[in-house]
Amino acid sequence: MIEEREYDIVIVGSGAGGGTVAQELGVLARAGTRVLVVEQGPRLRDDEFTGREIDMANALYEDGGGFLTADGTMTLAFGRAYGGSTVVYTGTSLIAPERVIRRWHVPGLAHDDLERRSRKFMAQNNVHELTPELINDNNRLFVEGCRRSGWIARQFPLNLKGCRGSSLCNLGCPNAAKMGTHRVQLPNAESNGVDVVTRAEALEVGDHTVMVRVSARQQGEKGLPSEWLPGTYRIRAHLVVLAGGSIGTSALILRSPIARTIPHVGTGFTCHPAHILVAEHEHPITNDVGHPKSYYLDRAEDERFVLETCMYFPFITAKNMTGFGSSHSQFMRAFPRLQMILVLACDRATPKNRITVNAAGRPVVHYTFMPETIDGLVAGTRASTRIFFAAGAVRVHAPSADPPLIERRDAAQADALIDARHFLPGRISVSAAHLMGGCAMGQPHSAVTDSYGRVHGVPWLRIADASLFPDALEINPYLTIMALADRVAEAIRNDAGMLLGGRSALGNTASRPVSVHR
Amino acid sequence: MLYPAIGTRGTFASVLPPKLAPPLTRLHLTTLGMPRVELASVRHILRAIATTVVPESSSLDDRAWKDFEELISQALSGRDARVQRQLVVFLRLLQTLPVLRYGRKLTALHASQRSAFLESVERSRLLLVRRGLWGVRTLIFMGYYTRVDVAESIGYRANRDGWAARGGTVATVPLAPTLWVEP
């Protein structure tokens, strides 16, 4: 049996995109417009964020964090919870580079507009730089290693409030200190009358309709039961906003009959493929305490890579090192002396890399490592190795070296040891968490939406997430997603009278302040 | 934000020919109860590989091995049934292949031979084989390194209380000596 529900606006997804749209439509909800957010993942209680690796991965990530590309050579990580991936990111808040937005060449999209909106959310999310006494050795060594190598590391602005330095950001902050949409925008939206239903998977999107399956909370599962009874629902709405992320939104459209009327969906997927590099020092350092990702080195424009500090958990660390056996174990036993750097390659949209769905409607991500992407990873690995040794490391684990362990005595030969010919997919670990593209903004003949997320040819359908990116952003994407979602919400408010069939008399509300309850 | 974790869905997705795969339907419209994957038949192979991948695992007691297998079984239980079968098939393949080179099965090899064999698999020219081993080692790392006692034994000390659990911020926790020593 299918339950029927009716709303004016349905938003699919509650992460950086969906959570932002929900908040920004709060003014409509307060005036009587019925707004609903459906989120596939659960809503966790604060005391359920334990920091335990396996528990939190299963609770907060799609496929427990183990979603693989079609050929099994890269792991894609994305959140599935009230707040989406904003629950599990590190809170790094960077404004989109002007050169990237110019290169995107999206008609009507200007960098200064994105910057203005980004700054609005930076203020709302308490974005700031950590003070020196909160920077751990793992980050200080990176800064010093960069300096000694002739580079200047820059500090990440972070959206934290009350950070205690648990270092567990990627497992969901156990101290409620990360200002993701689950802490800021969604509570604001709900206080204005927006409904949020969790454990609700969008199955199909049709003409002014979203089919949703609400699942029961299984015994032993984290999170609250759904706000709705388990079952299948047909939700009718004047307007549907898709914000399920690059993969989620693309797959939802592709498995729906409406896909026939929307060309180009699933194309242009990019993800900043990444290596986790590990180095061993002689002495213990503070690494698994303090914020893990406080500094970065941006070489995107010149060498197609970005380096970021990072600190992962034992299993993730073990998995991301190449090889096995005693040398691998020796590195793991040196955990208190480990320094880590994340190498992100700046990939480019290419016809080979795209999202499809299988016969079961599940997303399938086809990704081929292009030579330029491999070059970016290799260049980033060489730079990281230089930084590690400059900071005093005694040995470095470099995935694209063979053997991967490079001792300090061989530091001078590191550039020769690290080479693209050792990049062997399926042997070395590559992962990505910046999932972008699939429903790109642009002209109707080549893209899915305009610069306000309006789907070409489908007036009742909007998109508001990273799938809008026509190419890689080359920095951490959440703030840009929020800025784009803000534009989507503004367009909806502007069009409300027309879209909602007279239910809303608000008309242009873009200039009205949205109440914020914290 | 980066959490590259278990990596099991689809790891073995192409090891079996398509004709052995179950008929696919629009599963997203239904809820499937996935059976717990049965590892008993390949337990000896999995343990032999585990002790090669993580030599310290040879000191696990029976209870710890049971937990190890339970964790892997749980991780697989939510996945496509085809993936579960592919794991079992791949483990049996790893058990048999050494006969061609060493005249003995994997579990009968000396530790050094076993290690050499798995290293050759890791460098196979066939992507399917490489990624199969990558999946197995990932499961083994998951089964071993997510144990609380193991995390403690390697010195992992992350705590929700962060700096407070260490006695304060860097003002009171000594900085790494390497920060101040020219390499």
Side-chain angles (χ1 to χ4, degrees), chain A residues 53-54 57 61 63-68 71 73 75 77 85 88-90 133-135 137 140-141 148 164-166 168 170-171 174-175 203-204 213 255 281 285-286 288-290 312-316 318-321 323-325 328-329 332-333 335-336 342 359-360 362 390 402 424-427 429 431-433, chain B residues 1-11 14 24-31 52-56 71 79 115 118-119 122-124 127 130-131 133-134 137-139 141-142 145-148 151 153-164 166 169-171 173-183:
Chain A
E53 193 171 3
I54 199 76
Y61 286 87
D63 276 351
F67 186 99
L68 289 169
D71 70 357
T73 58
T75 313
S85 290
V88 291
Y89 62 14
T90 44
E133 73 273 13
L134 294 174
I135 306 296
D137 290 341
R140 287 165 178 254
L141 288 165
R148 291 175 180 176
R164 303 185 68 186
S166 74
L168 297 166
N170 291 139
L171 300 177
N175 300 309
L203 306 174
E204 280 188 6
R213 181 178 58 219
R255 67 175 173 249
H281 286 264
I285 63 173
T286 49
D288 54 7
V289 62
Y312 291 101
F313 324 103
F315 161 45
I316 294 305
K319 178 197 150 188
N320 278 281
M321 288 197 293
F324 52 83
H328 184 283
S329 291
M332 290 301 295
R333 286 198 301 274
F335 212 92
L342 184 71
R362 292 273 299 169
D402 194 8
L424 191 58
R427 176 174 183 249
S429 292
S431 51
Chain B
M1 177 183 70
L2 193 71
Y3 192 80
I6 301 165
T8 51
R9 196 179 73 80
T11 298
S14 303
L24 292 169
T25 58
R26 296 183 72 78
L27 297 182
H28 65 276
L29 290 172
T30 63
T31 302
T52 309
V53 169
V54 184
E56 296 92 329
L71 204 56
R79 317 281 163 159
S115 186
L118 292 179
E119 280 175 17
E122 192 183 40
R123 294 166 187 274
S124 168
L127 172 62
R130 292 199 302 270
R131 80 180 217 198
L133 183 64
W134 185 88
R137 75 187 268 285
T138 296
L139 289 170
F141 288 143
M142 181 190 69
Y145 283 110
T146 58
R147 295 176 57 84
V148 174
S153 74
I154 63 173
Y156 178 69
R157 296 194 294 161
N159 184 298
R160 70 182 305 154
D161 292 330
W163 290 110
R166 305 285 176 93
T169 62
V170 290
V173 178
L175 286 169
T178 44
L179 277 174
W180 314 112
V181 178
E182 287 291 331

Side-chain angles (χ1 to χ4, degrees), chain A residues 149-452:
Chain A
S149 302
W151 290 309
I152 299 172
R154 299 172 67 184
Q155 194 166 0
F156 270 120
L158 302 167
N159 65 357
L160 309 174
K161 189 181 282 182
C163 175
R164 303 185 68 186
S166 74
S167 82
L168 297 166
C169 311
N170 291 139
L171 300 177
C173 180
N175 300 309
K178 186 167 52 189
M179 298 295 105
T181 58
H182 60 310
R183 299 290 176 199
V184 183
Q185 286 77 29
L186 290 169
N188 287 343
E190 289 185 281
S191 69
N192 280 325
V194 173
D195 289 344
V196 179
V197 56
T198 55
R199 301 185 189 276
E201 180 184 10
L203 306 174
E204 280 188 6
V205 57
D207 185 15
H208 293 87
T209 303
V210 182
M211 290 290 289
V212 169
R213 181 178 58 219
V214 173
S215 299
R217 177 182 180 276
Q218 302 298 313
Q219 191 172 10
E221 263 189 349
K222 285 183 184 291
L224 299 170
S226 175
E227 295 76 2
W228 290 3
L229 290 174
T232 303
Y233 294 80
R234 180 186 292 114
I235 305 166
R236 299 185 187 280
H238 293 286
L239 186 74
V240 175
V241 182
L242 302 184
S246 170
I247 294 174
T249 291
S250 300
L252 175 57
I253 295 174
L254 288 169
R255 67 175 173 249
S256 303
I258 195 174
R260 289 191 291 270
T261 62
I262 311 175
H264 312 300
V265 173
T267 61
F269 176 78
T270 56
C271 61
H272 298 157
H275 280 324
I276 296 170
L277 266 60
V278 185
E280 183 182 340
H281 286 264
E282 284 176 354
H283 305 281
I285 63 173
T286 49
N287 53 15
D288 54 7
V289 62
H291 188 273
K293 194 180 291 293
S294 310
Y295 282 88
Y296 68 105
L297 176 66
D298 185 352
R299 302 292 298 164
E301 190 169 10
D302 299 321
E303 298 184 83
R304 301 187 72 156
F305 69 82
V306 175
L307 306 184
E308 300 183 351
T309 51
C310 65
M311 192 67 207
Y312 291 101
F313 324 103
F315 161 45
I316 294 305
T317 304
K319 178 197 150 188
N320 278 281
M321 288 197 293
T322 307
F324 52 83
S326 56
S327 63
H328 184 283
S329 291
Q330 188 183 349
F331 234 86
M332 290 301 295
R333 286 198 301 274
F335 212 92
R337 291 179 278 121
L338 296 186
Q339 182 190 354
M340 295 191 196
I341 297 175
L342 184 71
V343 180
L344 299 129
C346 300
D347 54 347
R348 289 280 189 276
T350 165
K352 279 189 172 180
N353 295 337
R354 62 199 311 268
I355 301 158
T356 62
V357 290
N358 63 16
R362 292 273 299 169
V364 179
V365 177
H366 305 269
Y367 194 91
T368 300
F369 295 103
M370 305 307 287
E372 310 82 56
T373 306
I374 295 171
D375 288 346
L377 283 171
V378 169
T381 302
R382 286 174 177 155
S384 300
T385 302
R386 210 171 307 151
I387 291 165
F388 281 136
F389 284 127
V394 294
R395 63 183 59 87
V396 172
H397 183 280
S400 40
D402 194 8
L405 282 187
I406 302 174
E407 299 290 337
R408 181 191 275 174
R409 65 176 176 272
D410 298 322
Q413 287 81 49
D415 280 3
L417 296 171
I418 300 163
D419 194 280
R421 71 180 185 277
H422 303 311
F423 184 90
L424 191 58
R427 176 174 183 249
I428 62 175
S429 292
V430 186
S431 51
H434 299 168
L435 314 181
M436 301 165 280
C439 300
M441 300 175 287
Q443 306 271 19
H445 62 84
S446 60
V448 176
T449 81
D450 68 7
S451 68
Y452 284 91

Side-chain angles (χ1 to χ4, degrees), chain B residues 65-84:
Chain B
W65 275 117
K66 195 177 171 191
D67 291 345
F68 173 92
E69 287 168 14
E70 178 67 14
L71 204 56
I72 291 175
S73 184
Q74 277 180 4
L76 292 169
S77 64
R79 317 281 163 159
D80 191 320
R82 192 172 45 161
V83 175
Q84 301 171 16

